[in-house]
Amino acid sequence: MNFFRGVMGGQAAGPQPSGAETIQKLCDRVASSTLLEDRRDAVRALKSLSKKYRMEVGTQAMDHLINILQTDRSDSEIVGYALDTLYNIICNDEEEEQDESEDAVTPKPKQKAMPDENAQKQADDLGAQFTEKFIEDPEHVTLLLTCVSRLMDLLADSREIIRNDGLLLLQQLTKSNAAIQKIVAFENAFERLLDIITDEGSSDGGIVVEDCLLLLLNLLKNNSSNQNFFKEGSYIQRMKPWFEVGDDNAGWSAQKVTNLHLMLQLVRVLVSPVNSPGATASCQKAMFMCGLLQQLCTILMATGVPADILTETINTVSEVIRGSQVNQDYFASVNAPSNPPRPAIVVLLMSMVNERQPFVLRCAVLYCFQCFLYKNQKGQGEIVATLLPSTIDANSISAGQLLCGGLFSADSLSNWCAAVALAHALQENLTQKEQLLRVQLATSLGKPPVSLLQQCTNILSQGSKVQTRVGLLMLLCTWISNCPIAVTHFLHNQENVPFLTAQISENLGEDERLVQGLCALLLGICIYYNDNSLENYTKEKLKQLIEKRIGKENFVEKLGFITKHELYSRAAQKPQPVFPSPEQMLFDHEFTKLVKDLEGMITKAVHKSSEEEKKEEEVKKTLEQHDNIVTQYKELIREQDAEIQKLKEQVASVSTQNEQLQTTITQQVSQIQQHKDQYNILKLKLGKDSQSQSNSQGDISQVNGVQTEELTQLRDEVEELRKQNTLLQTQLGDKDSLINTLRSESGETDNTELLKELEVLRSQVQAQSTEISQLQTERQELQRRAEAATASETAASCDGTIDHAKLTELENRLAAQTTETERLKGELKSLSETRADLEQQLASATSSVAILQTEKSKLQTEVQESKKEQDDLLMLLADQDQKIHSLKQKLKDLGETVEDEDDLDARDQTDDDEEDDDDEDED
């Protein structure tokens, strides 16, 4: 440390080392010191000498500084000193530190200084040389970029001086460098900077808040990636508290004005018209949803706000609402806190047409009005409506009244602003251009009212100031462009065309050239959008008039005066009207777009001959007819495609239902098969029992012949029941086949026969159930008669005619017969239950088939209706069949896929034939 005291301290004795020697010693210390503290002090000393001895530090210390960035990256303080030193030797600051040499202490005779230009050139050359030396190795640039994330830690440093120096360093690094801007933004810079602003008191904070806002502007301006990251991170919502000013707005400090001005600029960066439309729209939506726009409107209508803050707030609100229908509607609903309340638009327009207001404020109000009407046909209609006779309220001041007052006032700037504002109410809105023709003005007592269009031309012909005439000509050009009715109204005044031709043909001074160009543009619009409804002013007659009075070449030359004007290109750059002085306020941004579109078309229209006009009109009409035919054909195809798509959806729905029904039928078939197996088992058991009973039938018949006969009849009935069950199963199989056939034909075959067969099957099932009931009744009767016979035989044995052994055998046989009868009764009961289940399943299948039949009938009806509509359309298009055929060919040449109707019919016929053949094969 004694070394630094000797170097940096002022020793009285001994020769003092030169600057180059001191820098060499410091570089040696940076390269050889083992302690970080020594190296840090040496780099700090180099930083302090880097401006005074820029050449020496750059040539001797650059390599050592780069080495420090590589080896001591963990120490943010020494890295900061190294970066500051590199910045001082590479960059050319306009504010150079004053030389603190001995010359500042000892005055010398005045000498003539070198020219500032030479000094600046030498400094620029030196910076360029050191920059080239630094970027010779690409790793040096990469090294700088890797240090940025480390510098972000400075923003969280508890030492304010370190944090503030870090802010200043990041400001310099992020100027016009998109790569570093992205790195800093994605290192959580937005979160940290907004936290610092909040901790420092937002708009009431000090210079630190200003530094944070400047850094935010560097990160967001012209950087769409960072803007999207800022919006997606919900940082827009954190800006709302910045603009919550109190009711007492007296005594604004200069720092607060600066901070709030930067905050407003930050909002404008996010919604600037130069951004992509999608990004701007999303930011505008976010600002409305979080209440930021509402807060800005509160400042707009507040009292005591400084003039420059009010002006910037108006500009900010303008861009927040520009092109956003929701935001524009909200702004239209804002009222000023006056008695009675007035719309904010009216209050702002009052300032615009008041010549005592500051010029920048009037420009800001005009910009706000333009942004309110930008792509806002609803707002345009509301403004024009305030001029119509049916909506004028004598007890209140409307926007239309203020515009008319400004349009015809003695102040030329008010004339220009009102004319441009009214032109924006007509921009790309044919309806409002026609509505404005209804506006009537009372010029003086005792005289009839005149139209607004006529009054504008009257003032134009009176030779007022250039600014006034330019504004009126821009209004008239915007008004009658693309509006043949307005052109007819303008030409109906016999004085307008002679006035325009006289203005164009004269050789006037430099100041009048712009007026001549605008008059040529207005006359050209009258030619281009002329519908030839006035016999004296048709297109051809106006062109002949130009050729005789002006000359076509002279007319085109005068028309070119507009775009050649020096203020034209400035106004075409951006929508906001920014002018150095009121006298230079001549062009409107939207009007420059109109001139760009019309200049070439008017030039061509003037040079065209009458024959070319006629041919062009014929071609245009033919193309329009063809376009109409193509449009009708496309509409027809679109409708048919929609119908076909609807039918396909319905077919898909029916197919899904068919699949569900088929699944249900498959389950029912499986259940029927189970019942068939159970029935076969019962049948086998019944056969075995019948065979065993036949051996003892003879003995039983000897006992009671009547019982044997009844049992035989019972067996016959059971066999008949088995046959009927087999027949029923066969019929069920036929039904399944018919259902499968119906599904394969997709609803094309009539199901009437199937329904009839199902009815017959249902009748048979009912008859079978009746027979089963009769059989059960006969069994009961048989059992009763058998019991009676047993009783008679028992009575006979009591008489002693039959011996005891034979009676016992007869009783055993009778008991066995009774048991067999009970078993048969149980089997018949089980069979009846099985038959009932089968009948229920059959009913369910019948219901499913009925549903399918209903859906099929509905689909067939819709198909028939669609075919009928197609036939009707084909009959309507029969007269234009030849034209449609040629248009189809053109569409095919252009790559469009068009299928001929004959091909569709042939394919449908082939499909029908194939389906008929399939039906015949199945039969």
Side-chain angles (χ1 to χ4, degrees):
M1 296 302 292
N2 292 331
F3 169 78
F4 288 105
R5 295 190 186 97
V7 172
M8 305 303 295
Q11 294 184 359
Q16 296 295 324
S18 64
E21 294 175 349
T22 303
I23 293 170
Q24 182 61 45
K25 292 180 181 179
L26 290 173
C27 291
D28 293 339
R29 177 56 65 110
V30 171
S32 60
S33 296
T34 58
L35 295 178
L36 176 62
E37 183 179 4
D38 291 345
R39 294 196 300 274
R40 186 189 301 123
D41 291 338
V43 174
R44 182 168 54 206
L46 286 172
K47 174 189 173 185
S48 64
L49 297 174
S50 59
K51 290 189 176 181
K52 181 177 180 181
Y53 300 101
R54 184 180 181 189
M55 171 67 77
E56 291 78 4
V57 174
T59 54
Q60 299 182 40
M62 181 176 287
D63 293 336
H64 298 291
L65 294 173
I66 293 173
N67 188 55
I68 287 293
L69 295 178
Q70 293 173 338
T71 58
D72 293 330
R73 294 172 58 183
S74 59
D75 187 75
S76 58
E77 189 172 357
I78 192 173
V79 169
Y81 293 147
L83 290 173
D84 286 340
T85 307
L86 288 173
Y87 175 79
N88 291 336
I89 63 178
I90 289 177
C91 299
N92 298 316
D93 269 349
E94 295 181 358
E95 298 179 358
E96 294 288 346
E97 293 184 357
Q98 298 295 328
D99 189 3
E100 298 178 358
S101 62
E102 295 178 355
D103 296 338
V105 179
T106 305
K108 292 183 178 181
K110 294 183 179 180
Q111 298 178 355
K112 185 176 181 180
M114 294 180 62
D116 293 340
E117 294 80 2
N118 295 334
Q120 185 63 35
K121 183 177 180 181
Q122 291 178 0
D124 293 341
D125 293 341
L126 190 62
Q129 292 174 8
F130 287 136
T131 302
E132 290 178 0
K133 180 180 178 181
F134 182 81
I135 63 177
E136 283 179 356
D137 189 353
E139 294 296 328
H140 294 169
V141 180
T142 305
L143 181 63
L144 279 183
L145 294 178
T146 57
C147 290
V148 176
S149 60
R150 299 288 304 169
L151 292 176
M152 291 301 301
D153 296 337
L154 298 178
L155 299 182
D157 199 297
S158 59
R159 295 166 292 182
E160 290 189 3
I161 186 172
I162 300 298
R163 182 196 66 185
N164 298 342
D165 287 343
L167 282 172
L168 298 176
L169 179 59
L170 286 172
Q171 283 183 30
Q172 299 298 329
L173 290 174
T174 55
K175 282 183 178 179
S176 304
N177 193 318
I180 298 180
Q181 290 170 1
K182 290 181 180 180
I183 294 174
V184 172
F186 284 92
E187 286 292 335
N188 205 24
F190 294 141
E191 185 74 28
R192 296 183 181 183
L193 292 173
L194 292 175
D195 288 341
I196 294 174
I197 292 173
T198 302
D199 295 339
E200 293 292 327
S202 297
S203 61
D204 293 324
I207 189 67
V208 177
V209 173
E210 180 182 349
D211 292 337
C212 291
L213 292 172
L214 289 172
L215 180 54
L216 284 173
L217 285 173
N218 287 348
L219 296 176
L220 293 175
K221 193 171 185 178
N222 299 325
N223 193 318
S224 57
S225 176
N226 285 0
Q227 290 175 8
N228 184 64
F229 181 66
F230 190 85
K231 177 184 70 68
E232 296 297 334
S234 300
Y235 296 119
I236 292 179
Q237 288 81 343
R238 297 188 59 179
M239 299 169 66
K240 178 177 177 290
W242 295 353
F243 306 101
E244 293 177 354
V245 296
D247 296 333
D248 185 12
N249 295 320
W252 286 52
S253 65
Q255 187 62 55
K256 181 175 181 178
V257 171
T258 301
N259 291 343
L260 200 56
H261 196 273
L262 291 173
M263 291 173 178
L264 292 169
Q265 287 186 357
L266 193 61
V267 175
R268 294 185 64 184
V269 164
L270 297 172
V271 292
S272 174
V274 300
N275 297 342
S276 64
T280 300
S282 60
C283 290
Q284 288 173 334
K285 181 180 179 181
M287 290 177 182
F288 176 77
M289 297 300 295
C290 72
L292 178 58
L293 173 60
Q294 295 83 333
Q295 198 63 47
L296 292 174
C297 291
T298 302
I299 298 177
L300 198 65
M301 294 292 104
T303 56
V305 179
D308 53 347
I309 294 298
L310 180 60
T311 302
E312 189 65 18
T313 303
I314 295 173
N315 289 327
T316 305
V317 171
S318 304
E319 295 181 350
V320 173
I321 68 174
R322 187 176 187 269
S324 174
Q325 188 65 55
V326 175
N327 293 4
Q328 289 167 339
D329 291 343
Y330 171 77
F331 183 71
S333 65
V334 175
N335 289 323
S338 59
N339 190 16
R342 290 176 177 171
I345 298 175
V346 173
V347 176
L348 292 175
L349 288 178
M350 293 173 66
S351 300
M352 185 186 74
V353 297
N354 187 351
E355 56 183 316
R356 292 191 298 271
Q357 292 293 338
F359 172 65
V360 291
L361 178 63
R362 299 174 73 180
C363 292
V365 173
L366 175 61
Y367 185 44
C368 184
F369 191 74
Q370 292 173 345
C371 292
F372 169 68
L373 297 178
Y374 182 70
K375 293 184 178 180
N376 183 10
Q377 292 193 353
K378 178 183 177 183
Q380 290 175 326
E382 292 173 351
I383 296 299
V384 173
T386 59
L387 289 165
L388 299 178
S390 59
T391 58
I392 293 178
D393 185 4
N395 297 324
S396 63
I397 300 177
S398 65
Q401 294 173 356
L402 291 172
L403 291 177
C404 283
L407 194 62
F408 307 123
S409 69
D411 179 28
S412 61
L413 183 59
S414 296
N415 301 152
W416 190 92
C417 291
V420 170
L422 195 55
H424 277 259
L426 307 176
Q427 199 75 36
E428 298 180 357
N429 196 326
L430 180 61
T431 302
Q432 303 310 322
K433 291 178 181 180
E434 295 176 355
Q435 287 292 322
L436 200 63
L437 295 173
R438 300 169 48 201
V439 176
Q440 299 290 322
L441 301 176
T443 56
S444 60
L445 294 176
K447 292 185 178 181
V450 297
S451 66
L452 177 61
L453 182 65
Q454 182 62 45
Q455 184 65 13
C456 291
T457 57
N458 291 341
I459 296 177
L460 191 63
S461 62
Q462 291 173 3
S464 53
K465 294 182 180 179
V466 173
Q467 191 175 41
T468 300
R469 285 182 287 162
V470 168
L472 290 173
L473 285 169
M474 288 196 299
L475 171 60
L476 291 173
C477 289
T478 305
W479 191 348
I480 70 174
S481 64
N482 199 25
C483 184
I485 298 178
V487 171
T488 303
H489 278 70
F490 180 79
L491 294 176
H492 193 269
N493 187 347
Q494 302 294 327
E495 299 177 357
N496 289 341
V497 173
F499 168 75
L500 293 178
T501 55
Q503 287 288 316
I504 300 170
S505 60
E506 290 181 1
N507 292 323
L508 303 176
E510 188 71 22
D511 295 339
E512 297 292 332
R513 278 190 160 192
L514 178 57
V515 176
Q516 286 185 309
L518 292 173
C519 288
L521 178 65
L522 184 59
L523 185 57
I525 293 174
C526 292
I527 295 174
Y528 190 79
Y529 292 106
N530 195 331
D531 59 359
N532 296 325
S533 58
L534 293 178
E535 184 178 357
N536 294 332
Y537 294 110
T538 61
K539 286 185 177 181
E540 188 61 29
K541 290 185 177 181
L542 287 176
K543 288 193 290 184
Q544 293 175 0
L545 184 64
I546 289 176
E547 189 171 5
K548 292 179 181 179
R549 299 281 183 87
I550 305 171
K552 291 183 178 180
E553 299 301 328
N554 189 26
F555 177 84
V556 174
E557 182 183 0
K558 296 294 178 65
L559 182 62
F561 286 166
I562 302 175
T563 55
K564 293 178 182 178
H565 198 278
E566 59 180 354
L567 297 178
Y568 175 87
S569 58
R570 181 184 299 179
Q573 292 176 359
K574 56 182 180 179
Q576 183 180 2
V578 179
F579 303 95
S581 63
E583 293 77 17
Q584 297 185 9
M585 201 169 187
L586 293 177
F587 283 105
D588 172 58
H589 176 75
E590 292 298 327
F591 181 73
T592 60
K593 294 182 180 179
L594 181 65
V595 172
K596 184 179 179 181
D597 295 336
L598 292 178
E599 185 178 10
M601 296 188 295
I602 291 174
T603 302
K604 291 180 181 179
V606 170
H607 285 292
K608 283 179 183 178
S609 62
S610 59
E611 291 77 10
E612 291 176 345
E613 279 291 340
K614 292 179 181 179
K615 290 181 180 179
E616 185 175 345
E617 288 294 332
E618 292 177 358
V619 172
K620 187 175 181 181
K621 290 181 179 178
T622 303
L623 291 176
E624 288 179 354
Q625 292 176 356
H626 288 176
D627 290 341
N628 292 334
I629 294 174
V630 172
T631 302
Q632 292 175 1
Y633 188 74
K634 287 184 177 180
E635 187 65 26
L636 173 63
I637 293 175
R638 191 177 296 109
E639 292 177 357
Q640 290 181 347
D641 288 342
E643 291 294 332
I644 291 172
Q645 184 63 29
K646 186 184 297 183
L647 291 175
K648 284 182 179 180
E649 293 176 357
Q650 294 176 356
V651 169
S653 177
V654 172
S655 299
T656 303
Q657 295 179 359
N658 284 340
E659 292 177 358
Q660 295 176 354
L661 292 174
Q662 182 60 28
T663 303
T664 303
I665 291 173
T666 302
Q667 295 175 355
Q668 293 178 352
V669 169
S670 176
Q671 294 177 358
I672 291 173
Q673 185 61 39
Q674 293 177 0
H675 291 306
K676 287 169 66 177
D677 295 340
Q678 295 176 0
Y679 177 77
N680 291 332
I681 294 173
L682 291 176
K683 182 178 67 175
L684 292 175
K685 289 183 179 180
L686 182 61
K688 291 179 180 180
D689 293 339
S690 299
Q691 184 178 1
S692 62
Q693 289 180 0
S694 63
N695 296 328
S696 59
Q697 188 66 31
D699 295 335
I700 297 175
S701 61
Q702 294 177 358
V703 178
N704 193 348
V706 177
Q707 184 177 2
T708 301
E709 182 180 357
E710 294 294 334
L711 290 175
T712 301
Q713 183 179 359
L714 178 61
R715 290 191 183 94
D716 294 338
E717 290 175 352
V718 170
E719 184 64 20
E720 181 68 20
L721 180 61
R722 182 181 62 80
K723 292 179 179 179
Q724 292 179 356
N725 286 333
T726 302
L727 179 60
L728 179 61
Q729 291 174 359
T730 303
Q731 292 174 346
L732 286 175
D734 294 339
K735 173 185 73 67
D736 294 339
S737 299
L738 287 173
I739 292 175
N740 292 331
T741 302
L742 176 63
R743 183 183 59 180
S744 63
E745 293 176 353
S746 301
E748 295 293 335
T749 305
D750 192 1
N751 290 334
T752 305
E753 296 181 358
L754 177 61
L755 294 175
K756 290 182 179 179
E757 292 179 0
L758 289 175
E759 290 295 333
V760 173
L761 187 60
R762 188 181 291 107
S763 301
Q764 292 179 355
V765 170
Q766 293 178 353
Q768 188 66 35
S769 300
T770 304
E771 291 178 357
I772 291 173
S773 300
Q774 293 177 356
L775 184 60
Q776 291 176 347
T777 304
E778 292 175 356
R779 286 294 306 273
Q780 293 176 358
E781 181 65 21
L782 179 61
Q783 183 178 3
R784 186 184 61 78
R785 293 174 62 183
E787 291 175 354
T790 303
S792 62
E793 288 177 355
T794 302
S797 62
C798 292
D799 294 336
T801 57
I802 302 174
D803 59 10
H804 185 269
K806 188 174 182 178
L807 180 60
T808 301
E809 182 181 0
L810 182 60
E811 288 176 352
N812 291 335
R813 291 180 179 179
L814 182 60
Q817 183 180 6
T818 303
T819 302
E820 181 65 16
T821 301
E822 292 294 330
R823 187 182 64 80
L824 289 175
K825 182 178 179 181
E827 289 177 355
L828 287 174
K829 182 178 180 181
S830 176
L831 186 60
S832 299
E833 294 175 353
T834 302
R835 181 60 55 209
D837 293 338
L838 289 174
E839 184 178 6
Q840 183 177 1
Q841 294 172 7
L842 179 61
S844 176
T846 303
S847 176
S848 300
V849 170
I851 294 173
L852 182 61
Q853 174 64 19
T854 302
E855 293 293 333
K856 186 204 89 170
S857 300
K858 182 179 179 181
L859 182 60
Q860 286 179 338
T861 302
E862 292 175 351
V863 170
Q864 290 298 327
E865 291 177 355
S866 178
K867 287 181 178 180
K868 183 178 179 181
E869 292 176 357
Q870 292 177 356
D871 292 338
D872 294 339
L873 291 173
L874 289 174
M875 291 177 65
L876 291 175
L877 294 174
D879 295 337
Q880 299 181 359
D881 183 72
Q882 187 62 31
K883 292 182 180 179
I884 292 175
H885 183 271
S886 62
L887 289 173
K888 285 182 179 179
Q889 188 62 38
K890 290 182 180 179
L891 290 175
K892 290 181 179 179
D893 295 339
L894 292 174
E896 294 288 336
T897 302
V898 179
E899 192 170 7
D900 293 336
E901 296 177 357
D902 295 336
D903 296 337
L904 293 174
D905 295 337
R907 188 178 65 186
D908 294 339
Q909 184 63 33
T910 303
D911 294 339
D912 294 337
D913 294 339
E914 290 177 358
E915 291 174 357
D916 294 337
D917 293 340
D918 293 340
D919 294 338
E920 291 176 2
D921 293 340
E922 291 177 0
D923 294 337

